[in-house]
Amino acid sequence: MTANWPPDGLSGDSGAVHIRLGMFGPERYRCPASDAFKARGLWPRERAIPKPEALDTFTNGPFMAAADRLERPGSVPPNDRQHSLHDGLRQWTEHALRMYCKAFPPDPGLRPARRPWVYKYPRPTDRTQGSPRYRITAWGRCFESGDGGLRELRLPVNRLRERSEAERAVAALVAAEGDFDPRVERVRVVQFALSDGRTAEVFEGSRAEALDEYRAHGALAVRALLDSREYRPGTACESCAVAPVCPALPKAEGLLGVADRSRPRRSWSSTTGRGHRSCPARGYLRGLRLPPDDAVERSAAAERGRAIHDFLAEQHARKPATPCTAGIPADWVPDGYRLPDVERRLGAELLRHHAEVCPLRIAGAKSELRIEPRLVFDDTAADLLVLAEPDLMYQDAGAWIWRETKTSGSDRTRRDVLATYPQLALAIKIIGGGVLPGSPAGGRVELELLCPGGVDLRTLDPFAPQTRAAAEKVLREQVSGWHAETLFEAVPGPACTTCEVAKWCSARQLRDDAPAVSR
């Protein structure tokens, strides 16, 4: 909440309101204030100069264009978008189109609507002078029966997910009342997964039932969206036009050590840097959020690491705060994980080692403790959004301590921890640069390495010149090449066999014993 609402520097037509179904999607990727500004048409008076990417960054936009060409020949130019598609995105688009055709074989009883449905209130014929104009849209495939009595709205997703009551209600309203047609009697809303072709019903009922659904769960959600004053800095800040004047987005000029605003605005995290250095295509495709290969992404060792991470987060969140002990229960594995017995036993052993250095032994009962906080900064020197999510932050004598916990199935010694874990380099710049609230004096960065033979707790002083210089060097290596990159071409090699997005890469190198993937 801020007393200055909306923030200075915005202007627009408050009489026109445009609400999109996506504004009611998963909270992690939304900012309520940003959605409210967009819906009300509020933009900075000083518009930023467009800096488009060389490649298409709209993950499922090419699929929608391809589906248009398939279902409505002549509606889209034949070469639209194709010139700017990364090879991986082209592979994904072809796969997505196959899955769409699998999910919805030709149905003679349905035909594509002439245009996407738009719900308008009041209707043009009912409009009175000065009344607000509302438009509500849903991004999807619109179909109707020949007599106009049935409508079907198909919502594309990478993988099926639960829909909120607000999403169901708003989608039902658009399907029932969009581009008003009195012939509509029944509506159906279905989501379909572009990854595997599975479908799931979102809503099905009569027109009257769709309106009842909206009155019960949609209207209040729409009002809450328009009235929200909650800033939620995160990934949405990358494309938010209000970011330059946003009072909730911390500015950290020069945080990443790059001074060049000529490149397109992007977001960067240590995961971005690691992915790009291993293979530019890998980092790029992960940034598009293409579905990863579960066999790689969810290997037994990776799942054990995530299970330990979630277990510790749950333990540290207990009230009152209590240091962890070596008494690890046999059924310690959190819900949602299935670990082989050998990984479960190893995980328990690693957790027992953690008890020796649990940060709650240092943090006082009244000290602020932040578990997996989402840190977001606007590096204005490079026009980059910087994202970080420490495992834990706690206070020691009022100073912020950044703790990262890593697990390993071996006792191999890691000498250059900054190169191995580049998020530590970013942590050093954040703590040492004083960009966090409060005094930076006394702050430090900790790396907790859990191995079968014990725990190794390493402390990094973010104010030591040698440490700062090493961190800045790592960040330059991580950021500079990626920042200048335009095409993100694949670099095939042995690492392809452990790449979680290699299945979307036509240049990938297969193992000698791996069968070719049928396309």
Side-chain angles (χ1 to χ4, degrees):
M1 180 76 69
T2 176
N4 188 20
W5 183 268
D8 293 335
L10 298 185
S11 63
D13 179 7
S14 59
V17 176
H18 183 188
I19 296 168
R20 300 169 177 84
L21 176 62
M23 293 176 174
F24 303 95
E27 290 186 356
R28 181 175 180 80
Y29 304 110
R30 311 302 313 177
C31 170
S34 178
D35 286 335
F37 296 144
K38 291 176 184 175
R40 295 186 180 277
L42 296 177
W43 299 86
R45 295 190 187 96
E46 296 183 9
R47 300 290 184 93
I49 299 174
K51 298 183 294 182
E53 293 277 5
L55 297 173
D56 198 324
T57 57
F58 188 5
T59 304
N60 291 331
F63 156 75
M64 290 290 275
D68 281 341
R69 287 191 292 270
L70 176 68
E71 296 170 342
R72 294 158 41 192
S75 63
V76 180
N79 295 322
D80 183 59
R81 289 183 177 270
Q82 295 302 311
H83 70 284
S84 62
L85 291 192
H86 187 278
D87 167 71
L89 185 53
R90 183 176 290 108
Q91 301 297 323
W92 162 253
T93 299
E94 293 173 357
H95 171 86
L97 192 61
R98 288 194 298 271
M99 294 301 99
Y100 174 64
C101 293
K102 170 187 173 183
F104 301 100
D107 184 346
L110 291 175
R111 66 186 182 192
R114 288 182 296 173
R115 56 182 176 270
W117 300 315
V118 179
Y119 171 75
K120 298 178 181 179
Y121 178 83
R123 296 174 192 155
T125 55
D126 300 335
R127 187 169 299 159
T128 58
Q129 188 68 26
S131 63
R133 305 182 303 278
Y134 290 84
R135 299 173 72 247
I136 303 180
T137 57
W139 196 71
R141 313 297 305 168
C142 301
F143 281 77
E144 59 190 4
S145 60
D147 62 3
L150 171 66
R151 281 183 168 183
E152 181 174 275
L153 175 59
R154 303 169 179 176
L155 305 175
V157 291
N158 285 4
R159 289 181 170 175
L160 295 181
R161 64 175 178 82
E162 287 292 323
R163 295 280 176 166
S164 67
E165 290 181 336
E167 286 181 289
R168 289 195 297 270
V170 171
L173 175 72
V174 173
E177 294 289 290
D179 282 17
F180 180 72
D181 186 342
R183 298 178 300 169
V184 176
E185 297 177 351
R186 194 162 188 83
V187 298
R188 181 165 58 229
V189 181
V190 60
Q191 62 174 329
F192 61 96
L194 298 175
S195 57
D196 56 19
R198 292 189 299 153
T199 63
E201 179 185 297
V202 176
F203 174 85
E204 182 167 7
S206 66
R207 179 185 200 151
E209 289 171 331
L211 293 176
D212 288 342
E213 181 79 7
Y214 178 75
R215 294 187 187 101
H217 304 295
L220 290 178
V222 167
R223 176 48 53 192
L225 184 151
L226 294 175
D227 291 344
S228 178
R229 297 191 178 188
E230 177 193 356
Y231 291 99
R232 193 184 297 152
T235 55
C237 299
E238 177 186 352
S239 59
C240 180
V242 181
V245 297
C246 178
L249 178 59
K251 305 299 187 288
E253 183 177 4
L255 179 61
L256 296 180
V258 175
D260 179 7
R261 290 184 58 87
S262 67
R263 305 289 300 131
R265 180 168 173 80
R266 297 173 178 169
S267 62
W268 187 91
S269 69
S270 58
T271 301
T272 307
R274 279 197 304 268
H276 186 268
R277 283 178 63 82
S278 65
C279 173
R282 181 182 190 176
Y284 179 78
L285 298 180
R286 281 307 300 252
L288 292 178
R289 299 197 184 110
L290 295 187
D293 186 341
D294 284 343
V296 176
E297 182 84 347
R298 307 190 73 85
S299 67
E303 285 292 271
R304 181 243 302 151
R306 294 189 187 98
I308 289 176
H309 183 274
D310 287 356
F311 178 85
L312 290 177
E314 183 178 340
Q315 295 297 110
H316 294 156
R318 292 178 301 179
K319 300 296 182 183
T322 306
C324 297
T325 70
I328 306 301
D331 60 348
W332 69 270
V333 181
D335 292 342
Y337 292 95
R338 292 184 179 181
L339 298 184
D341 287 345
V342 63
E343 295 292 351
R344 179 177 52 78
R345 290 193 295 270
L346 175 58
E349 182 179 359
L350 299 180
L351 287 170
R352 282 190 284 272
H353 293 321
H354 164 78
E356 302 173 29
V357 295
C358 178
L360 270 63
R361 294 182 178 277
I362 300 173
K366 296 183 179 180
S367 295
E368 185 175 353
L369 192 70
R370 301 182 65 188
I371 301 167
E372 298 177 340
R374 182 167 52 179
L375 305 182
V376 185
F377 304 96
D378 193 0
D379 186 341
T380 54
D383 198 14
L384 292 175
L385 185 74
V386 184
L387 305 168
E389 196 167 301
D391 289 335
L392 182 75
M393 294 191 73
Y394 66 98
Q395 288 184 313
D396 181 11
W400 280 112
I401 316 301
W402 182 309
R403 171 74 69 96
E404 291 288 343
T405 301
K406 299 298 176 184
T407 64
S408 175
S410 72
D411 291 319
R412 183 181 61 181
T413 301
R414 291 164 177 79
R415 295 181 179 178
D416 191 348
V417 294
L418 291 182
T420 305
Y421 307 109
Q423 61 266 49
L424 297 176
L426 179 60
I428 288 169
K429 287 296 297 287
I430 290 175
I431 295 288
V435 297
L436 294 176
S439 173
R444 62 181 181 271
V445 177
E446 297 177 338
L447 173 63
E448 175 185 343
L449 291 169
L450 298 174
C451 305
V455 59
D456 180 7
L457 181 62
R458 305 191 186 186
T459 301
L460 304 174
D461 181 359
F463 304 101
Q466 185 175 357
T467 302
R468 287 182 62 85
E472 289 168 357
K473 179 176 182 292
V474 168
L475 282 179
R476 281 195 303 271
E477 294 171 348
Q478 291 276 325
V479 178
S480 58
W482 166 83
H483 188 245
E485 183 67 73
T486 57
L487 299 180
F488 299 93
E489 295 177 341
V491 182
C496 293
T497 60
T498 56
C499 175
E500 67 281 6
V501 290
K503 64 180 180 179
W504 309 121
C505 180
S506 64
R508 70 193 184 284
Q509 178 177 303
L510 298 175
R511 299 191 310 269
D512 292 338
D513 60 342
V517 177
S518 174
R519 291 186 182 274

